[in-house]
């Protein structure tokens, strides 16, 4: 390789690194701008930025639609969220993306008390294999039993589990325990555990 060729290759590598760095910085900047728009509920600015040429260059369609979906949930625009969930669930996705999307959709539809869609998604979740997904499968089943089937037969088991965890997971379990008490007709216990769930920084987000 001649000196001129070496210089050329070095120049190409330097340019490639510079371009990669430029796009990496731009991705972070655009993402922060999108987050700021959502936090400030500037939905028009959010849509324009999300659909802009730069964002389309930086992010694949799925990532942009996933952000759009989150915005619909924040806006409580359930009609648009339903449609976008339907579109995304039809896509052929890498395994981990599919699992993430299905669990997100399950949480949404069970929260909306949509029995049919919740059951379809739960059936898929129950086919997942691996030690890491077993706790997720158990919690999804518990959510379905509590929020869709209105069961109240897990009060003792939930009470025991709550004593073994803390933080957000404790809050989620406290809220499910509250719903089980409501299903049972014990509103005093329901209110008590809703308060505890809030103290554990769990936001039920319209499920109750």
């Amino acid at each position: 390789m001649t000196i001129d060729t070496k210089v050329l290759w070095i120049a190409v590598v330097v340019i490639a690194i510079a371009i990669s760095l430029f796009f990496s910085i731009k991705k972070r900047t655009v993402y922060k701008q999108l987050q700021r728009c959502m936090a400030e509920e500037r939905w028009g600015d959010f849509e324009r930025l999300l659909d802009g040429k730069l964002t389309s260059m930086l992010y694949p369609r799925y990532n942009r639609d996933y952000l759009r979906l989150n915005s619909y949930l924040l806006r409580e625009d359930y009609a648009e969220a339903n449609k976008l969930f339907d579109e995304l669930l039809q896509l052929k996705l890498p395994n981990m993306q599919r699992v993430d999307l299905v669990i997100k959709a399950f949480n949404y539809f069970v929260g909306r008390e949509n029995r049919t869609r919740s059951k379809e998604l739960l059936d898929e979740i129950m086919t997942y294999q691996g030690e890491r997904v077993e706790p997720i499968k158990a919690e999804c089943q518990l959510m379905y039993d509590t929020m869709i089937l209105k069961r109240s037969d897990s009060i003792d088991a939930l009470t025991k589990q709550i004593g073994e965890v803390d933080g957000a997971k404790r809050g989620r379990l406290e809220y499910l325990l509250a719903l089980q008490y409501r299903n049972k007709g014990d509103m005093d216990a329901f209110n008590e555990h809703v308060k505890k769930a809030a103290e554990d920084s769990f936001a039920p987000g319209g499920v109750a």
Side-chain angles (χ1 to χ4, degrees):
M1 185 179 290
T2 65
I3 293 177
D4 288 344
T5 304
K6 287 182 179 179
V7 171
L8 178 61
W9 274 109
I10 291 171
V12 169
V13 170
V14 169
I15 292 171
I17 292 172
I19 291 173
S20 176
L21 183 61
F22 170 79
F23 279 106
S24 178
I25 293 170
K26 278 294 184 182
K27 282 186 75 171
R28 290 198 296 270
T29 300
V30 169
Y31 186 71
K32 287 180 180 178
Q33 291 174 337
L34 288 166
Q35 284 185 313
R36 191 178 304 117
C37 287
M38 287 195 290
E40 296 173 0
E41 299 184 357
R42 293 187 285 112
W43 303 120
D45 292 340
F46 173 84
E47 293 286 353
R48 282 188 290 273
L49 179 59
L50 188 64
D51 293 329
K53 290 184 179 179
L54 179 59
T55 308
S56 298
M57 288 174 56
L58 296 172
Y59 290 98
R61 175 66 181 271
Y62 177 80
N63 298 68
R64 286 181 280 124
D65 280 344
Y66 198 92
L67 283 169
R68 196 187 314 276
L69 176 62
N70 286 336
S71 81
Y72 289 148
L73 298 179
L74 285 172
R75 287 183 255 186
E76 299 184 355
D77 189 341
Y78 301 127
E80 291 299 325
N82 288 347
K83 288 193 291 186
L84 192 47
F85 266 123
D86 287 341
E87 292 175 17
L88 295 177
L89 288 166
Q90 295 299 315
L91 299 177
K92 291 184 177 180
L93 300 171
N95 185 58
M96 292 309 298
Q97 277 190 340
R98 175 70 186 182
V99 170
D100 172 74
L101 178 63
V102 168
I103 292 173
K104 186 182 186 73
F106 173 78
N107 285 323
Y108 169 75
F109 285 110
V110 82
R112 299 295 298 160
E113 298 190 358
N114 185 321
R115 183 171 185 148
T116 301
R117 297 301 303 277
S118 298
K119 186 62 168 63
E120 291 171 354
L121 293 161
L122 180 63
D123 287 345
E124 178 172 340
I125 290 168
M126 288 302 165
T127 67
Y128 298 156
Q129 300 296 317
E131 291 184 8
R132 295 180 62 183
V133 298
E134 290 305 317
I136 296 172
K137 288 162 65 173
E139 189 165 325
C140 288
Q141 183 66 64
L142 180 61
M143 290 173 65
Y144 183 82
D145 291 346
T146 303
M147 302 166 74
I148 301 298
L149 301 183
K150 307 300 182 184
R151 290 171 60 170
S152 60
D153 56 354
S154 298
I155 288 174
D156 290 343
L158 277 167
T159 301
K160 181 181 179 181
Q161 288 181 56
I162 286 167
E164 299 170 351
V165 297
D166 54 20
K169 183 171 179 62
R170 182 185 179 96
R172 290 198 304 273
L173 295 177
E174 284 279 9
Y175 190 67
L176 288 172
L177 180 58
L179 294 181
Q180 290 242 341
Y181 274 117
R182 187 179 68 178
N183 295 342
K184 187 179 179 181
D186 188 340
M187 297 307 294
D188 289 338
F190 165 74
N191 290 325
E192 175 188 346
H193 288 284
V194 164
K195 182 179 178 181
K196 288 181 179 179
E199 290 171 354
D200 286 319
S201 301
F202 174 71
V207 172

